[in-house]
Amino acid sequence: MDELALAVRAAQSSEFWFWVLILGALVLLTGRAAVTRHHRAHIIDDIPTSRVRSASQGYIELQGQSRLLPGPPIVSPLTATRCCWWSFRVEQKVVRRRRGRTEVSWRTIGKGTSEEPFLLTDDTGDCVVDPWGAEVLSVSADRWHGDLRQPRPQMRRRRLGGNYRYSERRLEIGGPLYAIGWFRTERENVADTPVEDEVRELLGHWKRDQASLLRRFDENRDGNIDVDEWEVARSAALAEVEKARHQRAVRPGLDVLSHPPDDRPYLLAALPQPHVARRLRGSALFFVLLAMLLAGCLTFILSARFT
């Protein structure tokens, strides 16, 4: 410790204040991370779990299983695994010679995160999950090394060696899914489009098929639609439009979970709710201890310099 104190006193002023600023910034960042994670764990503990069918609009918590929406599957880019969500990173080894020593570091050359929506399903219904902006705690992860910038899914995965290293995280299909975010039900508002506009559009569609229009409404079979016959056609179009509007009005809405409009957390996790809260509290404790360690280092170098 005495030698370290002497080294601090002997350091140039610019170098000394550089490390003071670095340590001070790290203390603030780790302290903020601890507070943020503790706050998120507190929110999770306080919000009751809702069911999809009876969920209220706004900030809620859901638990169920992750499922794919109908349509093309979601496939992870590195391992070509079908999943509900993925995130990947590719890093390249960088070797430098500095002061007679070899230093190895890793530089990120590629990364990405899935933004395709998927389903959260419980025993009451389905909710579409928009993963944009979510913090995802996933349990399925692969990490390996290789010699290709873009790994092939069938390549042998090496734990060590190679100039590249890869990591991929996934939410598996059919796995448990915990979610806390902004819940809304989207319904088509039939009042947004005037009835007359829909009637005019439908009549225009009918007029493009003159043979069908004459077959339906040319009662006197003279090959033309007169004024009275056009009124019959318009009444038929109005009836069809009103029937369609009624069907849209009573159609069930689409339930969607997405990022909150405020700064409250948006979390997705392949874990039950108690495990999510426990993990957040554990990481909060880790950052508290790290902040204390960094603060101790900062106090030591300040004391060594000025006492």
Side-chain angles (χ1 to χ4, degrees):
M1 295 295 289
D2 292 339
E3 293 180 358
L4 183 57
L6 290 174
V8 171
R9 295 191 190 101
Q12 295 184 357
S13 180
S14 59
E15 184 179 7
F16 169 78
W17 287 111
F18 170 79
W19 285 109
V20 167
L21 290 175
I22 291 295
L23 286 173
L26 289 175
V27 170
L28 292 176
L29 289 174
T30 52
R32 180 180 179 182
V35 171
T36 299
R37 280 157 175 75
H38 176 74
H39 177 63
R40 290 182 176 181
H42 185 68
I43 290 175
I44 289 173
D45 287 335
D46 287 347
I47 294 183
T49 301
S50 301
R51 296 292 188 184
V52 171
R53 183 179 299 172
S54 58
S56 59
Q57 305 293 294
Y59 195 66
I60 66 165
E61 172 183 283
L62 295 171
Q63 288 197 93
Q65 289 183 315
S66 51
R67 303 285 186 188
L68 287 176
L69 283 161
I74 299 174
V75 179
S76 62
L78 299 187
T79 63
T81 303
R82 288 167 58 99
C83 58
C84 289
W85 175 91
W86 51 259
S87 176
F88 81 93
R89 182 183 298 270
V90 178
E91 298 169 288
Q92 184 178 25
K93 182 188 291 185
V94 178
V95 180
R96 295 188 181 93
R97 293 286 297 179
R98 180 177 295 180
R99 297 176 182 177
R101 295 184 302 175
T102 301
E103 296 182 353
V104 177
S105 60
W106 294 91
R107 177 173 60 92
T108 298
I109 59 172
K111 62 180 180 178
T113 301
S114 167
E115 294 186 356
E116 292 106 325
F118 56 93
L119 290 176
L120 182 152
T121 301
D122 65 15
D123 54 3
T124 67
D126 299 332
C127 174
V128 176
V129 178
D130 178 2
W132 181 87
E135 179 181 351
V136 182
L137 307 177
S138 56
V139 294
S140 294
D142 290 304
R143 296 179 179 87
W144 72 103
H145 290 68
D147 296 312
L148 300 177
R149 185 184 184 96
Q150 178 64 34
R152 293 189 294 267
Q154 69 273 18
M155 70 183 290
R156 184 175 66 88
R157 299 180 187 176
R158 292 149 44 183
R159 297 187 62 184
L160 297 172
N163 293 318
Y164 298 91
R165 67 181 182 187
Y166 323 98
S167 61
E168 184 177 87
R169 300 189 302 131
R170 298 179 300 276
L171 287 176
E172 302 295 346
I173 300 172
L177 180 62
Y178 167 84
I180 182 169
W182 192 261
F183 182 88
R184 68 185 189 278
T185 301
E186 296 182 350
R187 290 185 173 88
E188 185 175 0
N189 189 354
V190 296
D192 289 345
T193 305
V195 174
E196 287 300 324
D197 289 353
E198 293 191 35
V199 171
R200 192 179 303 112
E201 182 179 354
L202 181 58
L203 287 171
H205 175 72
W206 287 353
K207 287 173 69 176
R208 286 191 289 272
D209 187 355
Q210 282 291 321
S212 177
L213 182 68
L214 290 171
R215 190 165 51 250
R216 291 182 62 185
F217 301 110
D218 184 15
E219 295 182 0
N220 58 14
R221 303 305 174 192
D222 64 351
N224 293 297
I225 302 294
D226 58 30
V227 174
D228 293 335
E229 290 167 344
W230 185 251
E231 283 301 318
V232 173
R234 190 181 182 287
S235 297
L238 178 60
E240 287 196 23
V241 165
E242 289 181 340
K243 180 180 178 181
R245 287 167 69 92
H246 174 72
Q247 290 175 343
R248 296 202 303 270
V250 299
R251 186 183 303 161
L254 180 68
D255 295 323
V256 179
L257 191 77
S258 60
H259 195 283
D262 50 29
D263 60 351
R264 283 180 289 186
Y266 180 30
L267 294 176
L268 304 174
L271 299 166
Q273 186 266 1
H275 293 186
V276 177
R278 191 179 308 126
R279 176 179 288 193
L280 288 171
R281 283 192 292 269
S283 62
L285 178 60
F286 167 78
F287 281 112
V288 166
L289 296 175
L290 183 58
M292 293 173 62
L293 177 62
L294 293 169
C297 294
L298 179 60
T299 302
F300 172 78
I301 65 172
L302 289 172
S303 300
R305 183 79 172 192
F306 298 111
T307 57

